[in-house]
Amino acid sequence: MLGREYVNKVISEVEKRNNGEREFLDAVKEVLSSLVPVFDKHPEYISEGILERLVEPERQIFFRVPWIDDNGNVQVNRGFRVQFNSAIGPYKGGLRFHPSVNQSIIKFLGFEQIFKNSLTGLPIGGGKGGSDFDPKGKSDREVMRFCQSFMAELCKHIGLDTDVPAGDIGVGAREIGYMYGYYKKIRNANDQGVLTGKGLSYGGSLTRKEATGYGLVYFTEEMLNDNSLSFKDKTVLISGSGNVAIYACEKATELGAKVVALSDSNGYVYDENGINLDLIKEIKEVKRGRIKEYLEKVPTAKFVEGCRNIWKEKCDIALPCATQGEIDLEAAKILIKNGVKVVSEGANMPTNLDAIEELQRAGVLFGPAKAANAGGVACSALEMSQNSMRLSWTFEEVDEKLKYIMINIYKNSKKAAEEYGNPGNILMGANIAGFTKVADAMMSQGII
Ligand code: GLU
C-alpha cells in the first residue's frame, strides 16, 4: 500500500470513530498528511499498524470534580487526563483549566504533545489533561478547593515514572502548588518529580517560567538566522499575555525587536513605543487584571476590543501565543498583505490549516507549535532530571540547555524536511522528525 492510501485510510477511520471532535481531527490530519513520504520509504511501519495505534490514546480518564464555592454552594466540573503515548517515556504534558475544555481539545493537545516531546530529544511520552473549571474571577480559596478535589482523583493515575503533569492555560505556579501539596498529603510521598512547573522553594526549576517564551524566540531566531534575518529592529505582534507571551516579549525585546502589541481575551493593547513589559507583568502576574488597565499608566497607547483584531496591525514577525485557532484564513491574508515575514507559534495550534497553507504559499517562514513551543516541556523534563538527582541547576545552566535544545529542534526539523523531499517546510520536517523516533520505539516494543 502506498503512503497516501494508508494515510487516507487511517484519517477516514479516525473521522468515523471521533465524529465531531474538530480540534482532534485537525491535529491528526495535520500530522498524518505530512507523513506520506515516510510510509513510502518505510512500509514496515504500515504492516505494524503504527498509525492505527498512534491515533488511539493508550488510556483516557474522565472524572467528576465536585467542590464548594465561597457561598457554600456545591459546584461540579469535569476532569480529564489523556495518556496518549508512552513509547519513549512517561506520559508528560500540561493541565488546562478553561471553560472551553472538552474531550476533543484534550485529545488534540495530547496528540500534539507526543511529537513535541519527541522533538525535545528527551525521554518523555505524550499526555494532557485539564478541566472546564474557569479560574478567572475565583478566589484563591476556591481555586485551592478545586485543585484539591481535582488531585484527589488524578493522584491515582500519575507518578514519577508513569505520568507527570504540568501547567497550561489557567494552570500556573499557584495551581501547581495547591495540587502538589494535596498529592503529598494524600500519598504521604514527597515525590517532587510528579508535577513540573513547581515553585522554586519545593523542587521547581529556574527558567521553567520563562522557558516556553524564551524557547519560542530561540527557535525563531535560529530560523531567522538560517534565512539571513534576525529579530533586530523588527516589529513584532504577540497575542496573549500569559506566561508564553510575556517571556517571548522579554526575549524578543532583548534581541533588539520592538514588540508593539499584546492581548487578552477582551482585546489588545498597541503601544507604538514598544510594550512596557514591567507594567504588563504587574497587571497580569501580580494583580491578575485585564490588559486594558495598561492605558491607565500609558495613556498614549490604544486598546482595541476583540483579541483577533491584533493581526490587522502591521508587523514583520507574528508570534501567536494565546490559544488554538486564533489565526484563521482571513487573518493570514491580512498579515501577508501587511508584509509579515515570519509566523511562529507559541500557543498550541493557533493557526488554522488553511491559514498555514496560505502563509506557506506566500513564502512566509512558519514555525510550527510542536517545534517552536517545545521549550516549556523541555524545561519540565530538565526539572524532572533535577528532582531525580535532588539538586538544582543555575538559571544560566538551564537556559543554556534550553537554547541548545531549541536550536537542535530547528536543525532536526529542517534536516527531516530535506531528507523527505520538502526542503524549507519546517512543519513537515517537525512532524516527521517527531514521528520517526516514536515509531521506531513502538516497532521495537511489539504490538502493545
Ligand atoms: N503545557 C505545555 C505544553 O503545551 C507544557 C507541558 C509540560 O511542561 O509538561 O507543552
Side-chain angles (χ1 to χ4, degrees), residues 334-350:
I334 297 171
L335 282 164
I336 295 166
K337 195 171 115 245
N338 285 337
V340 73
K341 294 177 188 68
V342 179
V343 174
S344 202
E345 301 182 313
N348 288 311
M349 225 168 67

Side-chain angles (χ1 to χ4, degrees), residues 92-95 113 116-117 128 164-168 196 208 212 348 373-374 376-378 380:
K92 180 85 197 86
L95 298 169
Q113 203 82 41
K116 183 196 304 199
N117 294 3
K128 200 86 188 189
V164 181
D168 194 85
T196 60
R208 177 62 190 90
T212 316
N348 288 311
N373 78 17
V377 75
S380 275

Side-chain angles (χ1 to χ4, degrees), residues 242-421:
N243 201 38
V244 185
I246 286 179
Y247 293 97
C249 179
E250 185 164 282
K251 188 53 77 176
T253 309
E254 207 181 294
L255 294 183
K258 185 160 85 167
V259 179
V260 290
L262 284 174
S263 65
D264 67 13
S265 54
N266 295 123
Y268 71 92
V269 285
Y270 184 92
D271 188 340
E272 62 178 358
N273 299 317
I275 291 285
N276 175 341
L277 198 58
D278 288 339
L279 185 52
I280 293 285
K281 283 184 184 174
E282 173 70 23
I283 296 168
K284 287 292 174 182
E285 292 185 335
V286 183
K287 286 164 60 189
R288 295 180 189 274
R290 308 307 298 163
I291 206 156
K292 201 177 178 174
E293 293 163 32
Y294 188 87
L295 269 63
E296 291 167 15
K297 294 271 165 59
V298 188
T300 50
K302 69 171 179 180
F303 174 76
V304 178
E305 289 210 16
C307 48
R308 283 161 184 259
N309 289 320
I310 190 171
W311 310 120
K312 294 182 181 156
E313 299 290 348
K314 206 171 156 42
C315 72
D316 302 305
I317 298 172
L319 303 177
C321 296
T323 193
Q324 67 271 6
E326 46 171 319
I327 299 187
D328 57 13
L329 185 59
E330 195 194 327
K333 285 182 176 160
I334 297 171
L335 282 164
I336 295 166
K337 195 171 115 245
N338 285 337
V340 73
K341 294 177 188 68
V342 179
V343 174
S344 202
E345 301 182 313
N348 288 311
M349 225 168 67
T351 319
N352 291 348
L353 295 181
D354 51 1
I356 297 177
E357 279 165 22
E358 187 75 15
L359 291 166
Q360 288 179 326
R361 254 197 307 274
V364 175
L365 297 175
F366 182 72
K370 60 174 77 62
N373 78 17
V377 75
C379 194
S380 275
L382 300 177
E383 183 173 331
M384 290 164 71
S385 305
Q386 293 168 79
N387 293 152
S388 297
M389 292 190 286
R390 300 193 189 281
L391 52 76
S392 312
W393 293 325
T394 63
F395 188 95
E396 289 71 25
E397 279 175 288
V398 185
D399 191 39
E400 197 185 311
K401 290 187 204 315
L402 171 67
K403 196 168 186 178
Y404 175 82
I405 290 169
M406 297 315 295
I407 291 174
N408 265 331
I409 294 177
Y410 177 75
K411 287 188 173 150
N412 292 338
S413 303
K414 185 185 167 182
K415 194 165 139 235
E418 276 163 8
E419 202 177 315
Y420 285 91

